[in-house]
Amino acid sequence: MTFDLFTPSTLIRKARYYGKKLSVRVVIMGMLAVVAVALSSQIEHWIPEKLGTSLTGEAADRLLSIIANAMLAVTTFSLSVMVSVYRSTSTQWTPRVHRLIIQDLTTQNTLAVFIGAYVYALIAIIMRELGVFDDKRAFVLFVTTVLVLVLIVFYLIRWVLHLQSFGSLIDTSRQVEDETRQMFRERLANPCLGANALTDPIPDSAEVINSGESGYIRHIHPEALNAVAKNHGVNIYLLRNIGSFVFINEPLVKIDRIGDPADDEHDDDSLHAGIKSSIILGDVRSFDQDPRFGLIVMGEVASKALSPGVNDPGTAIDVIHRIGRILTDYEDEVARDREDVLANIFVEPLDPADLIQDAFGALARDGMTVVEVQQRLQATLGGLMHHPDKGLCKAARDAAEKHLARALSVIVFGPDRDQLISSASEQVRKAIASK
């Protein structure tokens, strides 16, 4: 069973997950710094004597001292900027944005380079004191140090330019949109996580396996889960999708025994352990594999902008347009032809009605008295009603009728009502008029 959880796709997915952590990048840069110093000491012996003695250790010492002194101060400053941006974005927009900004690649790479350069300078200084680098032969050490300085300057300039927009509303909205669109496209490129679409009733013979803890379903490793199912001779039906909150002892999956296990080691205990290791629960939702969460976060940004304390309908309108661009990528997961399917697991496809509700539900309710927001909402939903997918068209039309009816119930000024009604599609206007 242990090998079921180490399929190549699962390992790549785990590597991507851990690669987004700042600590991992810092450790990698620190290791590269150690390797750079070690290689410098080895290459030095292969340099011709005339070239190797052209620079003394004092030249490298001055540069190493500059790096050691400057990097500690620059890293501390960068960390303080990061903390300030994280707090301000959580307060101004939504706390959920914090987890996305903390994974900002430019910020993480910059800090990793600064700390890696600091480690490089410290190790080089220590090795100089120990006599590893001869005082009269420091050519390679000097060249390597210059290259480290060039890398520092490059990332320092990049960091300064990044700070011009880092944490701003436009930059934050763009980050959320890009991440959500990326997760959306990955999900649609691999419909139902590569599994069978769970559209038919689950067999009556299927057995329920309950959750061993409470939390959000943050990650599912479908390839590993399919290997577990195949080796145990079962089909696995996921009762809850990515992002769902599951309580302890609540049904999580159902299994239908369709064959015999591969061997005696694959018993019920190993089956439960394999399912638990392939379906990761946590205390908060994650953007990974969860495009619905990205839509919810974008809706929260718009709702916060519509609050009396902020009163920024322009931001809500901008978010509505961004959401509209994301939803135009939607495709029916069931209708899409696929060559490779994970035959032993079944996952519910994305429901377009859920996507529309996640994206527009909160902002439509909070901005029901703001005519400009309701106009852009009706225009966007009207545009989605022309989408090639019939399911998304119907979901957009139903949402447009509901949100228009709600807005008209609270907007009493005649010209505003007429203006809003004129923004809706003809189908929606007729449906509202007939009620």
Side-chain angles (χ1 to χ4, degrees):
M1 185 274 298
T2 304
F3 296 101
D4 299 343
L5 305 177
F6 292 95
T7 62
S9 299
T10 302
L11 293 175
I12 292 173
R13 187 174 290 108
K14 289 183 177 180
R16 286 179 56 187
Y17 170 73
Y18 287 108
K20 295 180 180 180
K21 293 182 175 293
L22 175 60
S23 57
V24 174
R25 294 176 182 269
V26 170
V27 170
I28 292 175
M29 288 304 300
M31 294 174 62
L32 290 176
V34 175
V35 171
V37 177
L39 287 177
S40 298
S41 63
Q42 296 298 321
I43 296 175
E44 190 72 53
H45 301 292
W46 298 89
I47 300 298
E49 184 176 356
K50 183 176 181 181
L51 181 61
T53 57
S54 61
L55 292 170
T56 64
E58 293 182 358
D61 289 342
R62 287 192 292 269
L63 297 181
L64 291 171
S65 178
I66 292 173
I67 294 175
N69 293 330
M71 285 303 97
L72 187 59
V74 170
T75 302
T76 303
F77 165 75
S78 300
L79 287 172
S80 64
V81 171
M82 285 175 55
V83 172
S84 299
V85 171
Y86 296 158
R87 288 180 177 176
S88 64
T89 52
S90 296
T91 302
Q92 295 179 21
W93 319 132
T94 169
R96 262 62 62 186
V97 172
H98 171 272
R99 295 199 298 277
L100 181 61
I101 293 182
I102 206 171
Q103 296 176 355
D104 181 70
L105 293 181
T106 301
T107 302
Q108 289 192 356
N109 290 336
T110 300
L111 285 175
V113 167
F114 289 169
I115 296 175
Y118 182 67
V119 172
Y120 167 82
L122 289 182
I123 295 176
I125 291 173
I126 293 173
M127 294 182 71
R128 283 278 295 137
E129 294 296 329
L130 293 176
V132 176
F133 290 100
D134 193 333
D135 221 12
K136 297 180 180 179
R137 294 178 61 91
F139 179 81
V140 176
L141 178 62
F142 179 85
V143 172
T144 305
T145 305
V146 169
L147 292 177
V148 171
L149 279 172
V150 171
L151 185 65
I152 292 171
V153 171
F154 173 78
Y155 272 93
L156 186 59
I157 295 174
R158 187 183 181 191
W159 174 237
V160 171
L161 295 175
H162 186 62
L163 288 179
Q164 295 179 0
S165 60
F166 187 46
S168 65
L169 175 60
I170 297 299
D171 181 66
T172 302
S173 300
R174 186 179 294 116
Q175 284 192 53
V176 179
E177 179 189 5
D178 292 343
E179 183 71 13
T180 304
R181 173 169 281 184
Q182 178 65 25
M183 293 301 104
F184 205 75
R185 288 177 174 174
E186 287 184 6
R187 171 67 187 242
L188 297 178
N190 194 31
C192 299
L193 302 177
N196 297 285
L198 180 52
T199 54
D200 298 327
I202 299 175
D204 295 334
S205 58
E207 307 169 18
V208 175
I209 294 182
N210 296 326
S211 174
E213 58 180 320
S214 298
Y216 292 99
I217 299 179
R218 297 190 60 182
H219 300 279
I220 295 177
H221 301 299
E223 296 83 8
L225 188 62
N226 186 67
V228 170
K230 184 177 180 180
N231 289 331
H232 287 83
V234 301
N235 282 336
I236 297 179
Y237 300 86
L238 274 74
L239 303 179
R240 310 296 293 272
N241 219 325
I242 288 283
S244 301
F245 189 89
V246 182
F247 287 95
I248 188 171
N249 211 35
E250 186 178 8
L252 179 62
V253 302
K254 283 188 175 183
I255 62 167
D256 186 28
R257 302 183 187 275
I258 58 173
D260 297 324
D263 50 50
D264 294 337
E265 293 183 358
H266 292 84
D267 53 15
D268 285 349
D269 291 337
S270 64
L271 174 61
H272 285 71
I275 292 174
K276 181 180 179 181
S277 300
S278 301
I279 303 176
I280 311 300
L281 274 64
D283 59 336
V284 293
R285 291 181 73 168
S286 170
F287 285 91
D288 294 338
Q289 294 184 312
D290 191 0
R292 289 185 60 182
F293 182 57
L295 293 174
I296 291 173
V297 171
M298 296 192 72
E300 289 180 347
V301 172
S303 295
K304 189 66 173 288
L306 292 171
S307 64
V310 179
N311 192 22
D312 182 16
T315 294
I317 293 173
D318 177 67
V319 170
I320 290 172
H321 291 157
R322 293 180 184 276
I323 293 174
R325 283 199 296 268
I326 294 173
L327 292 178
T328 54
D329 294 334
Y330 175 79
E331 295 179 19
D332 187 357
E333 293 185 284
V334 179
R336 184 162 185 171
D337 294 331
R338 291 181 286 167
E339 296 181 359
D340 299 323
V341 179
L342 302 175
N344 291 83
I345 58 175
F346 294 77
V347 176
E348 289 185 0
L350 293 173
D351 187 345
D354 291 337
L355 299 177
I356 294 289
Q357 176 61 28
D358 292 338
F360 299 119
L363 70 89
R365 181 191 64 247
D366 295 338
M368 59 183 175
T369 60
V370 185
V371 178
E372 294 82 2
V373 172
Q374 292 296 326
Q375 282 185 288
R376 298 319 305 163
L377 178 60
Q378 288 297 323
T380 300
L381 290 172
L384 292 175
M385 287 170 57
H386 297 286
H387 194 275
D389 183 77
K390 294 181 179 179
L392 184 64
C393 291
K394 183 180 184 304
R397 177 176 175 175
D398 293 342
E401 292 180 10
K402 179 179 69 174
H403 299 323
L404 180 59
R406 179 199 288 124
L408 292 176
S409 68
V410 295
I411 298 176
V412 297
F413 187 57
D416 285 347
R417 292 172 61 89
D418 295 339
Q419 188 178 3
L420 176 56
I421 292 174
S422 65
S423 300
S425 68
E426 183 178 357
Q427 294 175 323
V428 175
R429 291 199 301 268
K430 290 180 178 180
I432 294 297
S434 63
K435 293 182 180 179

